[in-house]
Amino acid sequence: MDGWTYDVLWQKAKLYMDRALSEDRDGPLFPFWAALGLELLARATLARVHPALLAEPDCILMAFGYDTGDKVAKSVMAKTVFLRCQKIVPDFGDTELKTSMSIVERRNEELHSGTLAFEEFPTRVWLSSFYRICKLLLTAQGQSLASFLGKDEADAAETMIATSEKETLAIVQRAIAVKKSEFEKLESSEQKRKHSIAENSSREFEEPSKRTETCPACAGRGVITGERVRAGAVRLEGDSMYQDIAFLPTNFRCYSCDLELAGHASLHAAGLGGQYSVTESYDPVQYYGEMFMENLAADAEAEYQNE
Amino acid sequence: MLVHARPELSSVPISDRDERLRLSVHEGEQLSRQGWLELYVPSSRDLIELAQSLGRPHATRAGGSIIDRLVPTERQQARRGTMSYHLGFEEFPFHTDGAYVRIPPRFILLRLADGADSLRPTLVCPFSSLSLSNGESDTLTRDVWVVRRSRRPFLSPILSDATVHGHTLLRFDLFCMKPASSRSKRSAQILESALERANPVEVIWTPNRALILDNWRTLHARGEGPLDRNEGRILERVSVQSGG
């Protein structure tokens, strides 16, 4: 199925961006074409891994080049595309997923309803995030903003991304400074007490993605949580099984000064944005026992459906 | 300015070699280095065997022969969509062959047919000789064109690094390609302007002379000739697919 190959999707994504960039930036057709370009770019990202990632389950064979007699190759929905990108594209987190889907939903509204969905959609609301998401998708497929947009527009896009990051940095630095100032006003004994409480609270906090970090405001113990990116192979060491799970940090909370940061961009601005791994350990009996039970359940389901 | 090909570079007829059906190591290196090679090939059969040594020869039309016979044709008699249909006996502009298929043939072998005669040279212009700036090459890689003439039109840049893994593929034929957007017209201007400045190699056709073009990185054109007739020119052409 030629339409799912990387090359054709990549070329079409560029063409749709050309159409967007030929439009008035304040008009509705600029975001309209850009929205179509974004979806194609995301599909190209998946095709780069394998075209099968774009196929509906009953069309998988077509993705491998087999003629199944079906006339229409059914592609997965845009939401599935972006959910898959979240697993494949480094730093593509919940924020990026939400932004992408809000653009796609607006496009759907434009195409399938009488609403003028892009009529009141100024570039200040979406363009900087749009370019940042494009950059993530492009990097994942070995391309660049310049190869997608052309050099001039890419330079402008980089400036917008940098400005947006600076704005985030300013907001985060302000939040840290406020909490730091509040904490420093406390008596030394109170500071110690809060740090001590934070040590216990962070230890007791349970969440698979938990990672403790020093708070950038008060130097107390804070907790980072994140979105699961990928899991490594399970390995047997001694009597236990281990698996490294990689996470993208998306939230930070300090139990001493109550500093809270949300979104990967904010954590990145605070110097807490690097991906990290958490090692899960499993008891082999429990691990294989669960797999066995899952298989049993799957078999039962299959049998049920056969009736 | 035209640079005339030097026949002494590959003057040993291919039939006289020890390794009859293959290029010598030196010739292979020469083809690889400069993107084209001129040599003597005494027969059509040798041309096909040489083509087989380079890859997989294939017909350019369903059910057609492996060897095409290219004859200057006046407009009215030419098949619709061909260069002859548009240009008749005139010069042909620089182009790559098979630009209308997703993966154009890697090599094009041309040979003056037995008994034929030609006053029209073939002009050869390797892409690397155009000395484009990085920015210009980036534009040729970025800008998207619509490629027609096949059952299903498709999109492609002039320089594609996403079509065949590990290769940058040159595709240019203004009779089957047009800019997909107004922005893409830049790439046409860049290439046409570079071709105007270029110093192509002029290959004069003499009996048994053959030419191998690396079609993924070399442009060629038909030079000037009589405008009112075909002087007896028949070129044999074999298209070869090869990933190497």
Side-chain angles (χ1 to χ4, degrees), chain A residues 2 6-8 10-12 14-15 18 21-22 146-150 153, chain B residues 102 141-144 154-157 160-163 180-184 186:
Chain A
D2 279 350
Y6 173 71
D7 191 15
V8 298
W10 165 233
Q11 303 305 339
K12 198 168 173 186
K14 286 193 291 179
L15 172 61
D18 273 0
L21 295 170
S22 304
S147 62
F148 186 48
L149 306 168
E153 188 67 28
Chain B
R102 273 196 200 282
T141 308
R142 194 221 157 264
D143 285 355
V144 185
F154 60 94
L155 298 171
S156 174
S160 174
D161 49 15
T163 306
S181 71
S182 54
R183 298 180 97 223
S184 295
R186 300 173 303 181

PDB file of all heavy atoms in Angstrom, chain A residues 2 6-8 10-12 14-15 18 21-22 146-150 153, chain B residues 102 141-144 154-157 160-163 180-184 186:
ATOM      1  N   ASP A   2       1.037   1.819  -1.192  1.00  0.00           N
ATOM      2  CA  ASP A   2       1.953   2.945  -1.352  1.00  0.00           C
ATOM      3  C   ASP A   2       1.636   4.127  -0.434  1.00  0.00           C
ATOM      4  O   ASP A   2       2.521   4.837   0.003  1.00  0.00           O
ATOM      5  CB  ASP A   2       1.902   3.438  -2.804  1.00  0.00           C
ATOM      6  CG  ASP A   2       2.757   2.576  -3.704  1.00  0.00           C
ATOM      7  OD1 ASP A   2       3.507   1.746  -3.170  1.00  0.00           O
ATOM      8  OD2 ASP A   2       2.650   2.734  -4.929  1.00  0.00           O
ATOM      9  N   TYR A   6       6.715   5.875   3.945  1.00  0.00           N
ATOM     10  CA  TYR A   6       7.240   7.101   4.539  1.00  0.00           C
ATOM     11  C   TYR A   6       7.373   8.218   3.519  1.00  0.00           C
ATOM     12  O   TYR A   6       6.942   9.357   3.742  1.00  0.00           O
ATOM     13  CB  TYR A   6       8.604   6.810   5.187  1.00  0.00           C
ATOM     14  CG  TYR A   6       9.261   8.086   5.656  1.00  0.00           C
ATOM     15  CD1 TYR A   6       8.759   8.768   6.760  1.00  0.00           C
ATOM     16  CD2 TYR A   6      10.330   8.641   4.972  1.00  0.00           C
ATOM     17  CE1 TYR A   6       9.310   9.955   7.175  1.00  0.00           C
ATOM     18  CE2 TYR A   6      10.893   9.831   5.382  1.00  0.00           C
ATOM     19  CZ  TYR A   6      10.381  10.481   6.488  1.00  0.00           C
ATOM     20  OH  TYR A   6      10.923  11.671   6.894  1.00  0.00           O
ATOM     21  N   ASP A   7       7.958   7.892   2.378  1.00  0.00           N
ATOM     22  CA  ASP A   7       8.282   8.922   1.387  1.00  0.00           C
ATOM     23  C   ASP A   7       7.042   9.722   0.978  1.00  0.00           C
ATOM     24  O   ASP A   7       7.059  10.956   0.971  1.00  0.00           O
ATOM     25  CB  ASP A   7       8.925   8.244   0.160  1.00  0.00           C
ATOM     26  CG  ASP A   7       9.529   9.252  -0.801  1.00  0.00           C
ATOM     27  OD1 ASP A   7       9.711  10.418  -0.405  1.00  0.00           O
ATOM     28  OD2 ASP A   7       9.819   8.883  -1.949  1.00  0.00           O
ATOM     29  N   VAL A   8       5.960   9.018   0.629  1.00  0.00           N
ATOM     30  CA  VAL A   8       4.794   9.739   0.109  1.00  0.00           C
ATOM     31  C   VAL A   8       4.125  10.585   1.206  1.00  0.00           C
ATOM     32  O   VAL A   8       3.645  11.692   0.942  1.00  0.00           O
ATOM     33  CB  VAL A   8       3.763   8.793  -0.553  1.00  0.00           C
ATOM     34  CG1 VAL A   8       4.377   8.088  -1.742  1.00  0.00           C
ATOM     35  CG2 VAL A   8       3.206   7.783   0.419  1.00  0.00           C
ATOM     36  N   TRP A  10       5.659  11.899   3.802  1.00  0.00           N
ATOM     37  CA  TRP A  10       6.577  13.007   4.085  1.00  0.00           C
ATOM     38  C   TRP A  10       6.437  14.099   3.034  1.00  0.00           C
ATOM     39  O   TRP A  10       6.342  15.281   3.342  1.00  0.00           O
ATOM     40  CB  TRP A  10       8.005  12.449   4.174  1.00  0.00           C
ATOM     41  CG  TRP A  10       9.122  13.429   4.125  1.00  0.00           C
ATOM     42  CD1 TRP A  10      10.184  13.408   3.283  1.00  0.00           C
ATOM     43  CD2 TRP A  10       9.337  14.564   4.983  1.00  0.00           C
ATOM     44  NE1 TRP A  10      11.026  14.456   3.533  1.00  0.00           N
ATOM     45  CE2 TRP A  10      10.535  15.175   4.573  1.00  0.00           C
ATOM     46  CE3 TRP A  10       8.625  15.129   6.033  1.00  0.00           C
ATOM     47  CZ2 TRP A  10      11.037  16.333   5.170  1.00  0.00           C
ATOM     48  CZ3 TRP A  10       9.119  16.282   6.637  1.00  0.00           C
ATOM     49  CH2 TRP A  10      10.309  16.870   6.219  1.00  0.00           C
ATOM     50  N   GLN A  11       6.373  13.692   1.755  1.00  0.00           N
ATOM     51  CA  GLN A  11       6.248  14.692   0.688  1.00  0.00           C
ATOM     52  C   GLN A  11       4.901  15.420   0.797  1.00  0.00           C
ATOM     53  O   GLN A  11       4.820  16.628   0.598  1.00  0.00           O
ATOM     54  CB  GLN A  11       6.371  14.044  -0.702  1.00  0.00           C
ATOM     55  CG  GLN A  11       7.666  13.266  -0.957  1.00  0.00           C
ATOM     56  CD  GLN A  11       8.920  14.087  -0.724  1.00  0.00           C
ATOM     57  OE1 GLN A  11       8.905  15.320  -0.740  1.00  0.00           O
ATOM     58  NE2 GLN A  11      10.027  13.406  -0.467  1.00  0.00           N
ATOM     59  N   LYS A  12       3.857  14.681   1.140  1.00  0.00           N
ATOM     60  CA  LYS A  12       2.535  15.306   1.216  1.00  0.00           C
ATOM     61  C   LYS A  12       2.437  16.244   2.424  1.00  0.00           C
ATOM     62  O   LYS A  12       1.800  17.300   2.349  1.00  0.00           O
ATOM     63  CB  LYS A  12       1.451  14.227   1.299  1.00  0.00           C
ATOM     64  CG  LYS A  12       0.070  14.749   0.956  1.00  0.00           C
ATOM     65  CD  LYS A  12      -0.899  13.601   0.777  1.00  0.00           C
ATOM     66  CE  LYS A  12      -2.313  14.096   0.594  1.00  0.00           C
ATOM     67  NZ  LYS A  12      -3.280  12.999   0.551  1.00  0.00           N
ATOM     68  N   LYS A  14       4.863  18.004   3.552  1.00  0.00           N
ATOM     69  CA  LYS A  14       5.551  19.238   3.129  1.00  0.00           C
ATOM     70  C   LYS A  14       4.656  20.065   2.208  1.00  0.00           C
ATOM     71  O   LYS A  14       4.583  21.287   2.326  1.00  0.00           O
ATOM     72  CB  LYS A  14       6.856  18.890   2.399  1.00  0.00           C
ATOM     73  CG  LYS A  14       7.968  18.409   3.301  1.00  0.00           C
ATOM     74  CD  LYS A  14       9.303  18.385   2.564  1.00  0.00           C
ATOM     75  CE  LYS A  14       9.358  17.331   1.505  1.00  0.00           C
ATOM     76  NZ  LYS A  14      10.629  17.299   0.771  1.00  0.00           N
ATOM     77  N   LEU A  15       3.959  19.372   1.311  1.00  0.00           N
ATOM     78  CA  LEU A  15       3.080  20.087   0.375  1.00  0.00           C
ATOM     79  C   LEU A  15       1.980  20.829   1.133  1.00  0.00           C
ATOM     80  O   LEU A  15       1.690  21.991   0.847  1.00  0.00           O
ATOM     81  CB  LEU A  15       2.464  19.092  -0.617  1.00  0.00           C
ATOM     82  CG  LEU A  15       1.370  19.668  -1.532  1.00  0.00           C
ATOM     83  CD1 LEU A  15       1.923  20.793  -2.400  1.00  0.00           C
ATOM     84  CD2 LEU A  15       0.789  18.573  -2.418  1.00  0.00           C
ATOM     85  N   ASP A  18       3.332  23.818   2.670  1.00  0.00           N
ATOM     86  CA  ASP A  18       3.517  24.854   1.640  1.00  0.00           C
ATOM     87  C   ASP A  18       2.213  25.597   1.403  1.00  0.00           C
ATOM     88  O   ASP A  18       2.193  26.820   1.262  1.00  0.00           O
ATOM     89  CB  ASP A  18       3.957  24.219   0.313  1.00  0.00           C
ATOM     90  CG  ASP A  18       5.461  24.056   0.230  1.00  0.00           C
ATOM     91  OD1 ASP A  18       6.145  24.438   1.201  1.00  0.00           O
ATOM     92  OD2 ASP A  18       5.954  23.555  -0.796  1.00  0.00           O
ATOM     93  N   LEU A  21       1.593  27.857   4.301  1.00  0.00           N
ATOM     94  CA  LEU A  21       2.495  29.017   4.342  1.00  0.00           C
ATOM     95  C   LEU A  21       2.220  29.998   3.197  1.00  0.00           C
ATOM     96  O   LEU A  21       2.685  31.130   3.240  1.00  0.00           O
ATOM     97  CB  LEU A  21       3.953  28.542   4.295  1.00  0.00           C
ATOM     98  CG  LEU A  21       4.390  27.730   5.522  1.00  0.00           C
ATOM     99  CD1 LEU A  21       5.753  27.086   5.300  1.00  0.00           C
ATOM    100  CD2 LEU A  21       4.425  28.609   6.771  1.00  0.00           C
ATOM    101  N   SER A  22       1.468  29.541   2.201  1.00  0.00           N
ATOM    102  CA  SER A  22       1.102  30.463   1.112  1.00  0.00           C
ATOM    103  C   SER A  22      -0.134  31.286   1.475  1.00  0.00           C
ATOM    104  O   SER A  22      -0.523  32.183   0.738  1.00  0.00           O
ATOM    105  CB  SER A  22       0.790  29.671  -0.161  1.00  0.00           C
ATOM    106  OG  SER A  22       1.878  28.865  -0.502  1.00  0.00           O
ATOM    107  N   ALA A 146      13.874  22.967   8.970  1.00  0.00           N
ATOM    108  CA  ALA A 146      14.257  23.538   7.666  1.00  0.00           C
ATOM    109  C   ALA A 146      13.816  22.626   6.525  1.00  0.00           C
ATOM    110  O   ALA A 146      13.349  23.094   5.491  1.00  0.00           O
ATOM    111  CB  ALA A 146      15.757  23.774   7.612  1.00  0.00           C
ATOM    112  N   SER A 147      13.956  21.307   6.702  1.00  0.00           N
ATOM    113  CA  SER A 147      13.561  20.405   5.615  1.00  0.00           C
ATOM    114  C   SER A 147      12.045  20.339   5.487  1.00  0.00           C
ATOM    115  O   SER A 147      11.522  19.975   4.445  1.00  0.00           O
ATOM    116  CB  SER A 147      14.147  19.003   5.819  1.00  0.00           C
ATOM    117  OG  SER A 147      13.666  18.429   7.002  1.00  0.00           O
ATOM    118  N   PHE A 148      11.339  20.724   6.545  1.00  0.00           N
ATOM    119  CA  PHE A 148       9.870  20.706   6.509  1.00  0.00           C
ATOM    120  C   PHE A 148       9.295  22.035   6.017  1.00  0.00           C
ATOM    121  O   PHE A 148       8.384  22.067   5.183  1.00  0.00           O
ATOM    122  CB  PHE A 148       9.354  20.400   7.915  1.00  0.00           C
ATOM    123  CG  PHE A 148       7.867  20.216   8.031  1.00  0.00           C
ATOM    124  CD1 PHE A 148       7.162  19.400   7.158  1.00  0.00           C
ATOM    125  CD2 PHE A 148       7.156  20.848   9.050  1.00  0.00           C
ATOM    126  CE1 PHE A 148       5.786  19.225   7.279  1.00  0.00           C
ATOM    127  CE2 PHE A 148       5.785  20.673   9.183  1.00  0.00           C
ATOM    128  CZ  PHE A 148       5.100  19.864   8.293  1.00  0.00           C
ATOM    129  N   LEU A 149       9.866  23.123   6.529  1.00  0.00           N
ATOM    130  CA  LEU A 149       9.271  24.443   6.266  1.00  0.00           C
ATOM    131  C   LEU A 149      10.062  25.299   5.287  1.00  0.00           C
ATOM    132  O   LEU A 149       9.559  26.313   4.814  1.00  0.00           O
ATOM    133  CB  LEU A 149       9.179  25.234   7.591  1.00  0.00           C
ATOM    134  CG  LEU A 149       8.453  24.571   8.757  1.00  0.00           C
ATOM    135  CD1 LEU A 149       8.705  25.355  10.033  1.00  0.00           C
ATOM    136  CD2 LEU A 149       6.965  24.497   8.467  1.00  0.00           C
ATOM    137  N   GLY A 150      11.288  24.903   4.996  1.00  0.00           N
ATOM    138  CA  GLY A 150      12.185  25.798   4.264  1.00  0.00           C
ATOM    139  C   GLY A 150      12.942  26.642   5.285  1.00  0.00           C
ATOM    140  O   GLY A 150      12.471  26.842   6.409  1.00  0.00           O
ATOM    141  N   GLU A 153      11.300  30.094   7.041  1.00  0.00           N
ATOM    142  CA  GLU A 153      10.219  29.847   7.995  1.00  0.00           C
ATOM    143  C   GLU A 153      10.758  29.066   9.198  1.00  0.00           C
ATOM    144  O   GLU A 153      10.316  29.276  10.328  1.00  0.00           O
ATOM    145  CB  GLU A 153       9.089  29.074   7.313  1.00  0.00           C
ATOM    146  CG  GLU A 153       7.836  28.920   8.145  1.00  0.00           C
ATOM    147  CD  GLU A 153       7.116  30.239   8.409  1.00  0.00           C
ATOM    148  OE1 GLU A 153       7.235  31.159   7.577  1.00  0.00           O
ATOM    149  OE2 GLU A 153       6.458  30.345   9.465  1.00  0.00           O
TER     150      GLU A 153
ATOM    151  N   ARG B 102       8.042   5.727  -9.758  1.00  0.00           N
ATOM    152  CA  ARG B 102       8.476   6.034  -8.388  1.00  0.00           C
ATOM    153  C   ARG B 102       9.973   5.848  -8.198  1.00  0.00           C
ATOM    154  O   ARG B 102      10.639   6.670  -7.590  1.00  0.00           O
ATOM    155  CB  ARG B 102       7.735   5.133  -7.395  1.00  0.00           C
ATOM    156  CG  ARG B 102       6.436   5.714  -7.000  1.00  0.00           C
ATOM    157  CD  ARG B 102       5.906   5.034  -5.757  1.00  0.00           C
ATOM    158  NE  ARG B 102       4.493   5.279  -5.672  1.00  0.00           N
ATOM    159  CZ  ARG B 102       3.975   6.414  -5.252  1.00  0.00           C
ATOM    160  NH1 ARG B 102       4.753   7.391  -4.862  1.00  0.00           N
ATOM    161  NH2 ARG B 102       2.672   6.583  -5.217  1.00  0.00           N
ATOM    162  N   THR B 141      15.884  19.415  -2.376  1.00  0.00           N
ATOM    163  CA  THR B 141      15.452  18.267  -1.569  1.00  0.00           C
ATOM    164  C   THR B 141      14.113  18.545  -0.905  1.00  0.00           C
ATOM    165  O   THR B 141      13.307  17.642  -0.695  1.00  0.00           O
ATOM    166  CB  THR B 141      16.497  17.949  -0.480  1.00  0.00           C
ATOM    167  OG1 THR B 141      17.769  17.829  -1.100  1.00  0.00           O
ATOM    168  CG2 THR B 141      16.173  16.664   0.259  1.00  0.00           C
ATOM    169  N   ARG B 142      13.883  19.803  -0.579  1.00  0.00           N
ATOM    170  CA  ARG B 142      12.683  20.144   0.173  1.00  0.00           C
ATOM    171  C   ARG B 142      11.446  20.340  -0.696  1.00  0.00           C
ATOM    172  O   ARG B 142      10.362  19.851  -0.380  1.00  0.00           O
ATOM    173  CB  ARG B 142      12.934  21.422   0.979  1.00  0.00           C
ATOM    174  CG  ARG B 142      11.887  21.641   2.020  1.00  0.00           C
ATOM    175  CD  ARG B 142      11.426  23.064   2.159  1.00  0.00           C
ATOM    176  NE  ARG B 142      10.099  23.026   2.756  1.00  0.00           N
ATOM    177  CZ  ARG B 142       8.992  23.072   2.034  1.00  0.00           C
ATOM    178  NH1 ARG B 142       9.023  23.173   0.743  1.00  0.00           N
ATOM    179  NH2 ARG B 142       7.816  22.998   2.647  1.00  0.00           N
ATOM    180  N   ASP B 143      11.598  21.069  -1.804  1.00  0.00           N
ATOM    181  CA  ASP B 143      10.424  21.459  -2.587  1.00  0.00           C
ATOM    182  C   ASP B 143       9.750  20.252  -3.245  1.00  0.00           C
ATOM    183  O   ASP B 143      10.414  19.376  -3.796  1.00  0.00           O
ATOM    184  CB  ASP B 143      10.821  22.470  -3.661  1.00  0.00           C
ATOM    185  CG  ASP B 143      11.062  23.854  -3.062  1.00  0.00           C
ATOM    186  OD1 ASP B 143      10.832  24.015  -1.847  1.00  0.00           O
ATOM    187  OD2 ASP B 143      11.477  24.756  -3.808  1.00  0.00           O
ATOM    188  N   VAL B 144       8.439  20.273  -3.208  1.00  0.00           N
ATOM    189  CA  VAL B 144       7.671  19.116  -3.663  1.00  0.00           C
ATOM    190  C   VAL B 144       7.095  19.362  -5.068  1.00  0.00           C
ATOM    191  O   VAL B 144       6.592  20.443  -5.353  1.00  0.00           O
ATOM    192  CB  VAL B 144       6.510  18.835  -2.679  1.00  0.00           C
ATOM    193  CG1 VAL B 144       5.789  17.556  -3.069  1.00  0.00           C
ATOM    194  CG2 VAL B 144       7.017  18.750  -1.256  1.00  0.00           C
ATOM    195  N   PHE B 154       2.082  11.131  -8.266  1.00  0.00           N
ATOM    196  CA  PHE B 154       2.641  11.123  -6.909  1.00  0.00           C
ATOM    197  C   PHE B 154       3.503  12.363  -6.690  1.00  0.00           C
ATOM    198  O   PHE B 154       3.741  13.132  -7.628  1.00  0.00           O
ATOM    199  CB  PHE B 154       3.437   9.838  -6.656  1.00  0.00           C
ATOM    200  CG  PHE B 154       4.599   9.624  -7.596  1.00  0.00           C
ATOM    201  CD1 PHE B 154       5.880  10.032  -7.258  1.00  0.00           C
ATOM    202  CD2 PHE B 154       4.416   9.013  -8.826  1.00  0.00           C
ATOM    203  CE1 PHE B 154       6.940   9.832  -8.124  1.00  0.00           C
ATOM    204  CE2 PHE B 154       5.475   8.799  -9.690  1.00  0.00           C
ATOM    205  CZ  PHE B 154       6.747   9.213  -9.339  1.00  0.00           C
ATOM    206  N   LEU B 155       3.930  12.538  -5.450  1.00  0.00           N
ATOM    207  CA  LEU B 155       4.734  13.711  -5.085  1.00  0.00           C
ATOM    208  C   LEU B 155       6.189  13.302  -4.935  1.00  0.00           C
ATOM    209  O   LEU B 155       6.488  12.227  -4.421  1.00  0.00           O
ATOM    210  CB  LEU B 155       4.243  14.294  -3.756  1.00  0.00           C
ATOM    211  CG  LEU B 155       2.801  14.804  -3.733  1.00  0.00           C
ATOM    212  CD1 LEU B 155       2.388  15.133  -2.301  1.00  0.00           C
ATOM    213  CD2 LEU B 155       2.656  16.037  -4.609  1.00  0.00           C
ATOM    214  N   SER B 156       7.062  14.199  -5.363  1.00  0.00           N
ATOM    215  CA  SER B 156       8.495  13.926  -5.196  1.00  0.00           C
ATOM    216  C   SER B 156       9.260  15.237  -5.285  1.00  0.00           C
ATOM    217  O   SER B 156       8.864  16.127  -6.022  1.00  0.00           O
ATOM    218  CB  SER B 156       8.980  12.984  -6.299  1.00  0.00           C
ATOM    219  OG  SER B 156      10.387  12.840  -6.227  1.00  0.00           O
ATOM    220  N   PRO B 157      10.349  15.354  -4.562  1.00  0.00           N
ATOM    221  CA  PRO B 157      11.236  16.498  -4.793  1.00  0.00           C
ATOM    222  C   PRO B 157      12.165  16.179  -5.963  1.00  0.00           C
ATOM    223  O   PRO B 157      12.205  15.033  -6.427  1.00  0.00           O
ATOM    224  CB  PRO B 157      12.025  16.605  -3.490  1.00  0.00           C
ATOM    225  CG  PRO B 157      12.043  15.221  -2.956  1.00  0.00           C
ATOM    226  CD  PRO B 157      10.813  14.509  -3.467  1.00  0.00           C
ATOM    227  N   SER B 160      15.729  13.460  -3.987  1.00  0.00           N
ATOM    228  CA  SER B 160      15.041  12.747  -2.915  1.00  0.00           C
ATOM    229  C   SER B 160      15.995  11.843  -2.149  1.00  0.00           C
ATOM    230  O   SER B 160      16.671  11.000  -2.740  1.00  0.00           O
ATOM    231  CB  SER B 160      13.908  11.901  -3.499  1.00  0.00           C
ATOM    232  OG  SER B 160      13.349  11.116  -2.471  1.00  0.00           O
ATOM    233  N   ASP B 161      16.021  12.009  -0.833  1.00  0.00           N
ATOM    234  CA  ASP B 161      16.819  11.095  -0.021  1.00  0.00           C
ATOM    235  C   ASP B 161      15.910  10.142   0.757  1.00  0.00           C
ATOM    236  O   ASP B 161      16.363   9.431   1.645  1.00  0.00           O
ATOM    237  CB  ASP B 161      17.747  11.865   0.924  1.00  0.00           C
ATOM    238  CG  ASP B 161      17.013  12.934   1.692  1.00  0.00           C
ATOM    239  OD1 ASP B 161      15.773  12.906   1.709  1.00  0.00           O
ATOM    240  OD2 ASP B 161      17.674  13.818   2.264  1.00  0.00           O
ATOM    241  N   ALA B 162      14.613  10.165   0.422  1.00  0.00           N
ATOM    242  CA  ALA B 162      13.672   9.312   1.154  1.00  0.00           C
ATOM    243  C   ALA B 162      13.063   8.229   0.266  1.00  0.00           C
ATOM    244  O   ALA B 162      12.213   7.476   0.709  1.00  0.00           O
ATOM    245  CB  ALA B 162      12.559  10.171   1.761  1.00  0.00           C
ATOM    246  N   THR B 163      13.469   8.157  -1.005  1.00  0.00           N
ATOM    247  CA  THR B 163      12.855   7.180  -1.914  1.00  0.00           C
ATOM    248  C   THR B 163      13.586   5.845  -1.885  1.00  0.00           C
ATOM    249  O   THR B 163      12.971   4.789  -1.791  1.00  0.00           O
ATOM    250  CB  THR B 163      12.847   7.737  -3.357  1.00  0.00           C
ATOM    251  OG1 THR B 163      12.210   9.019  -3.333  1.00  0.00           O
ATOM    252  CG2 THR B 163      12.090   6.827  -4.308  1.00  0.00           C
ATOM    253  N   ALA B 180       4.455  21.475  -7.135  1.00  0.00           N
ATOM    254  CA  ALA B 180       3.189  21.185  -6.453  1.00  0.00           C
ATOM    255  C   ALA B 180       2.599  22.425  -5.799  1.00  0.00           C
ATOM    256  O   ALA B 180       1.425  22.461  -5.471  1.00  0.00           O
ATOM    257  CB  ALA B 180       3.401  20.090  -5.413  1.00  0.00           C
ATOM    258  N   SER B 181       3.437  23.431  -5.565  1.00  0.00           N
ATOM    259  CA  SER B 181       2.939  24.685  -4.994  1.00  0.00           C
ATOM    260  C   SER B 181       3.770  25.818  -5.560  1.00  0.00           C
ATOM    261  O   SER B 181       4.824  25.586  -6.161  1.00  0.00           O
ATOM    262  CB  SER B 181       3.057  24.658  -3.462  1.00  0.00           C
ATOM    263  OG  SER B 181       4.408  24.752  -3.097  1.00  0.00           O
ATOM    264  N   SER B 182       3.303  27.024  -5.324  1.00  0.00           N
ATOM    265  CA  SER B 182       4.039  28.173  -5.881  1.00  0.00           C
ATOM    266  C   SER B 182       5.447  28.251  -5.287  1.00  0.00           C
ATOM    267  O   SER B 182       6.384  28.680  -5.947  1.00  0.00           O
ATOM    268  CB  SER B 182       3.268  29.462  -5.617  1.00  0.00           C
ATOM    269  OG  SER B 182       2.987  29.561  -4.245  1.00  0.00           O
ATOM    270  N   ARG B 183       5.605  27.803  -4.041  1.00  0.00           N
ATOM    271  CA  ARG B 183       6.921  27.850  -3.405  1.00  0.00           C
ATOM    272  C   ARG B 183       7.926  26.947  -4.135  1.00  0.00           C
ATOM    273  O   ARG B 183       9.107  27.228  -4.179  1.00  0.00           O
ATOM    274  CB  ARG B 183       6.840  27.396  -1.940  1.00  0.00           C
ATOM    275  CG  ARG B 183       5.975  28.259  -1.080  1.00  0.00           C
ATOM    276  CD  ARG B 183       5.966  27.728   0.332  1.00  0.00           C
ATOM    277  NE  ARG B 183       6.905  28.407   1.179  1.00  0.00           N
ATOM    278  CZ  ARG B 183       7.701  27.811   2.064  1.00  0.00           C
ATOM    279  NH1 ARG B 183       7.669  26.519   2.208  1.00  0.00           N
ATOM    280  NH2 ARG B 183       8.522  28.507   2.819  1.00  0.00           N
ATOM    281  N   SER B 184       7.391  25.845  -4.676  1.00  0.00           N
ATOM    282  CA  SER B 184       8.288  24.866  -5.296  1.00  0.00           C
ATOM    283  C   SER B 184       8.879  25.348  -6.615  1.00  0.00           C
ATOM    284  O   SER B 184       9.782  24.708  -7.153  1.00  0.00           O
ATOM    285  CB  SER B 184       7.541  23.545  -5.513  1.00  0.00           C
ATOM    286  OG  SER B 184       7.198  22.983  -4.269  1.00  0.00           O
ATOM    287  N   ARG B 186      10.760  27.677  -6.944  1.00  0.00           N
ATOM    288  CA  ARG B 186      12.160  28.077  -6.666  1.00  0.00           C
ATOM    289  C   ARG B 186      13.122  27.009  -7.147  1.00  0.00           C
ATOM    290  O   ARG B 186      14.179  27.301  -7.686  1.00  0.00           O
ATOM    291  CB  ARG B 186      12.393  28.241  -5.146  1.00  0.00           C
ATOM    292  CG  ARG B 186      11.543  29.262  -4.479  1.00  0.00           C
ATOM    293  CD  ARG B 186      11.736  29.194  -2.989  1.00  0.00           C
ATOM    294  NE  ARG B 186      11.432  27.853  -2.462  1.00  0.00           N
ATOM    295  CZ  ARG B 186      11.499  27.525  -1.197  1.00  0.00           C
ATOM    296  NH1 ARG B 186      11.880  28.415  -0.318  1.00  0.00           N
ATOM    297  NH2 ARG B 186      11.200  26.305  -0.791  1.00  0.00           N
TER     298      ARG B 186
END
